[in-house]
Amino acid sequence: MGARAYIMLTISGSKLKRLFIKANDQVESISLHNAPNLYEVSIAFDELAIGLNYDPVFDLEKFVGSLPKIKILRLNGKFLQLFIENLEMSLLLTLQSLKVLEFKDVNFMDFIQIFGVVCLLKCAPNLQELYIKAHIIILSDLVSSYLRELSRSNFISLHKLRLAKLTKISNFVAEFEFIRFLLFSSSSLVTVTIVEHPKLKAEKALDLARELLKIKPSSGVCINLLRENKT
C-alpha cells in the first residue's frame, strides 16, 4: 500500500483577498497568517486527516478565528464533518461579517453534515444569502426530527437573511424539513428558490409543490419552485 499524502497549508499575504482550495488528499491543517483583507474563501475536501482516536485533526477553531472579515464562505459536505467533532466549540463560533454562505454536495440525510450547516447558520447573525446544492445518499433519517425541533425553537434567528437557494432537491423529508426550518427562522426572507433534481419524477415534484403550499411562514416570502434542465 502506498503512503498516504497529508496536506498542511500555511498561507500568508497582507494583500490576499480571495482564497480557493480544493484538496484530493487528506487535509491536516490550514493556517492563515497576516491576511487581514481576506473576504472570500472557498474550500473543498475529499478527505480529512484522521488522528489516533479516529477523529479529524484539523484545528477548526484556529481556522475560523483567522477569518475575522470573511464575507463569502463556500464549503463542501466533507468539511462539515469538522463541526460535530468539535461540538462545544462549534456552538460558540462567531462570523459577524459573513454575508454569503454556500454549501456544495450536502447530504440532507446525513446528520453530521446538517449539524455543520446549522452551526454555521447560528454563528452568522448577519447572513444575507444562502445557497445549498444537495447530494443525497440515503442514511438513517435522524435529521428530520432534529430539524422539526429546531423549527419549534428559537435556537437560530437569521434576521438578515434575504435570499436562499437550494438546488437538486429530491423531495426527501429531511430536505422539506430544512426548508421549513429556514422559513420559520428567517423573518426577513424575501425569496426562497428551490430547484428540483433533474431526475425527480413529475408526481414527486407535484407532491413537493403541495407540501410547500402548506407552509405558512409569518413573513411574505416568495417561494419559487423550478425544474433543473437535464444534462
Side-chain angles (χ1 to χ4, degrees):
M1 181 180 293
R4 172 73 70 177
Y6 290 85
I7 295 177
M8 300 177 65
L9 296 175
T10 300
I11 300 167
S12 177
S14 60
K15 296 183 179 180
L16 183 65
K17 295 182 178 180
R18 306 169 72 197
L19 175 64
F20 301 85
I21 298 174
K22 187 179 189 303
N24 296 322
D25 293 308
Q26 292 188 358
V27 177
E28 184 171 321
S29 67
I30 299 176
S31 298
L32 298 173
H33 303 284
N34 188 30
N37 296 309
L38 187 63
Y39 71 89
E40 180 178 355
V41 173
S42 177
I43 298 178
F45 289 170
D46 280 353
E47 295 186 66
L48 299 172
I50 303 300
L52 295 177
N53 295 321
Y54 300 99
D55 296 327
V57 297
F58 189 95
D59 191 336
L60 183 65
E61 183 175 14
K62 183 178 180 180
F63 174 72
V64 173
S66 64
L67 303 174
K69 296 183 179 180
I70 190 71
K71 288 182 169 54
I72 303 170
L73 182 60
R74 300 184 180 92
L75 302 170
N76 70 335
K78 178 61 72 173
F79 190 94
L80 294 171
Q81 180 181 341
L82 291 168
F83 288 87
I84 204 164
E85 300 293 349
N86 298 269
L87 179 59
E88 184 175 350
M89 184 274 299
S90 295
L91 297 173
L92 299 175
L93 294 175
T94 302
L95 291 170
Q96 292 284 349
S97 62
L98 189 62
K99 299 292 192 297
V100 179
L101 186 54
E102 182 174 343
F103 300 106
K104 184 179 180 181
D105 296 333
V106 172
N107 186 3
F108 280 91
M109 301 290 284
D110 187 333
F111 178 82
I112 291 174
Q113 292 191 16
I114 294 303
F115 180 83
V117 171
V118 170
C119 282
L120 276 165
L121 290 176
K122 187 177 188 300
C123 77
N126 297 309
L127 188 68
Q128 296 177 8
E129 299 180 20
L130 173 66
Y131 303 91
I132 301 179
K133 183 179 181 180
H135 176 70
I136 297 296
I137 299 174
I138 297 178
L139 302 171
S140 61
D141 194 13
L142 296 173
V143 177
S144 299
S145 56
Y146 170 65
L147 291 171
R148 277 193 290 269
E149 289 302 316
L150 284 182
S151 297
R152 299 187 187 109
S153 70
N154 294 318
F155 181 68
I156 295 177
S157 178
L158 301 168
H159 61 279
K160 293 189 178 181
L161 183 65
R162 297 178 58 81
L163 184 153
K165 182 177 182 180
L166 288 74
T167 59
K168 291 196 172 182
I169 299 301
S170 302
N171 197 27
F172 286 98
V173 174
E175 294 174 320
F176 176 76
E177 291 298 340
F178 185 84
I179 294 167
R180 185 204 297 272
F181 155 70
L182 269 186
L183 290 169
F184 284 97
S185 301
S186 316
S187 59
S188 61
L189 261 175
V190 175
T191 304
V192 175
T193 300
I194 301 164
V195 183
E196 304 165 7
H197 193 286
K199 294 183 179 180
L200 187 65
K201 294 182 179 179
E203 59 269 25
K204 292 291 185 180
L206 185 58
D207 289 341
L208 176 60
R210 287 170 177 157
E211 291 300 318
L212 290 172
L213 287 173
K214 294 178 183 179
I215 302 178
K216 296 180 179 179
S218 57
S219 62
V221 59
C222 175
I223 302 176
N224 299 316
L225 182 60
L226 307 176
R227 188 163 187 84
E228 183 177 285
N229 293 327
K230 295 183 180 180
T231 57

